[in-house]
Amino acid sequence: MKLTILGCSGGIGSGRHTTCLKVDDDILIDAGTGITTLSLDALLAINHVFITHSHLDHVLGLPLLLDAVGEKRSTPLVVHALPEVLDILAADLFNWRLWPDFREIPSAEAPWVRFEPLPMGDSLVVGGRTFTPLPVNHAVPACGMRVATPAGSLVFSGDTTSSEAFVAALNAIPDLRHLIIETSFENELVEIARASKHHWPDSLAAELQRLTVRPEVWITHLKPGNETAIMEELRLAAPDWNLTALQQGQVITL
C-alpha cells in the first residue's frame, strides 16, 4: 500500500494544503484542500472517500470532486464515515443550500455519490486494505482511521485531543507501523487547544507515554506559521520519540 500526503496542514497559505491522504490511486482519507493538487484523471480514479469528521478543512474538496468528475463516472463515488458524520454532511453540506445533493443527481437511482455508514467497531475491506474507524475525542463526531494490510497497519488520528479510548485502540494493534497524529497548537495556546479539542505538545507527549506499541510517529495538522515552534516543543516534551512533521507530497509505504 502507498499513502500519498496531498495535504496535512492545519490551515492554508504559502503552498499549504489541508488534510487529504491518498491510499494507492483509488481511495482518499478526508478531502481537504490537498485534493486540489490532483489532476482530473487522478480525481476520476478515486472510488472511495473515508471521512474522519465534518469540519471544512477535511471535507471542502468533496463537493468539488463531484462537480469536477461526477458526470464522467460510471458508478457513484462512495463516501464512508460514522453515521453521525454522514448526517451532518447531509444536513449542512449536501442540502441544496450550500451545495446540491449529489445523492439525487442526476437521479436518485443513478447518483454521483452514495453515502455508506461505517459505524465504530465495524471494518470495511477494499481491495485487500481494511479500514477501521477508531475512537477519538474532538469537538464534533469524529474518528481516527486504521488502514491494515498484510505488511502492517497505519493509523491516522484525524483531529483529536487526549483520548484514553484512542490510546487503548492503538495498543491493541501489534503490527502498528505508522501513526499519523495531530498537534495543532503550541503550549502557550493550551486554552484554545482545549476549547477546540486539539493536541498541544505537552498533551501529545503524555499520550505517547501511555503507548505500549512503538510505531513511527508523524505529526500533522500544525497551524500555519507555528510549525517550527510546535515541533521544537514536541521534541523537548517527548525526547524518546523521533517525532517528524508530516510533509505534503510525502509517500509512506506498507
Side-chain angles (χ1 to χ4, degrees):
M1 185 197 81
K2 180 174 72 173
L3 184 82
T4 304
I5 311 305
L6 304 179
C8 57
S9 177
I12 60 172
S14 302
R16 297 171 176 88
H17 284 290
T18 65
T19 303
C20 187
L21 315 178
K22 182 161 70 81
V23 179
D24 297 321
D25 293 321
D26 58 331
I27 294 171
L28 295 180
I29 300 174
D30 286 342
T33 64
I35 199 173
T36 64
T37 65
L38 293 177
S39 68
L40 285 175
D41 285 344
L43 291 171
L44 187 57
I46 302 300
N47 291 319
H48 299 266
V49 182
F50 290 82
I51 299 294
T52 62
H53 67 290
S54 59
H55 281 158
L56 276 179
D57 56 328
H58 294 254
V59 304
L60 63 85
L62 183 57
L64 300 178
L65 167 61
L66 296 167
D67 196 47
V69 298
E71 65 177 327
K72 300 177 179 65
R73 296 187 56 83
S74 58
T75 59
L77 177 77
V78 184
V79 176
H80 309 271
L82 298 177
E84 305 95 312
V85 174
L86 293 180
D87 288 344
I88 294 171
L89 293 180
D92 297 331
L93 181 53
F94 295 99
N95 58 10
W96 293 105
R97 297 182 300 278
L98 195 61
W99 203 257
D101 188 350
F102 283 105
R103 296 174 301 166
E104 301 177 1
I105 297 176
S107 70
E109 293 73 32
W112 286 359
V113 66
R114 188 174 78 247
F115 287 1
E116 285 196 1
L118 183 59
M120 197 69 68
D122 284 6
S123 295
L124 179 68
V125 180
V126 182
R129 300 147 299 182
T130 303
F131 294 81
T132 305
L134 302 180
V136 296
N137 181 13
H138 194 39
V140 293
C143 67
M145 189 61 62
R146 176 187 179 183
V147 187
T149 75
S153 293
L154 176 148
V155 168
F156 169 52
S157 72
D159 287 4
T160 187
T161 189
S162 299
S163 169
E164 292 184 7
F166 185 58
V167 170
L170 295 178
N171 286 336
I173 305 174
D175 67 348
L176 181 61
R177 290 180 51 190
H178 296 276
L179 171 61
I180 299 173
I181 190 166
E182 71 119 291
T183 305
S184 297
F185 296 100
E186 298 163 74
N187 284 327
E188 69 177 7
L189 298 177
V190 58
E191 294 307 321
I192 295 175
R194 283 181 173 140
S196 57
K197 291 197 171 182
H198 286 287
H199 270 303
W200 61 99
D202 285 351
S203 69
L204 182 64
E207 206 91 320
L208 293 175
Q209 288 180 352
R210 293 193 284 271
L211 290 184
T212 58
V213 290
R214 192 77 181 187
E216 192 163 2
V217 179
W218 306 92
I219 306 300
T220 189
H221 214 270
L222 301 158
K223 288 301 181 181
N226 295 346
E227 296 96 340
T228 299
I230 295 169
M231 289 306 302
E232 287 176 351
E233 290 185 358
L234 273 171
R235 291 176 181 127
L236 286 173
D240 295 334
W241 292 82
N242 182 26
L243 302 180
T244 305
L246 198 67
Q247 299 293 320
Q248 184 176 316
Q250 182 177 346
V251 174
I252 298 173
T253 57
L254 276 177

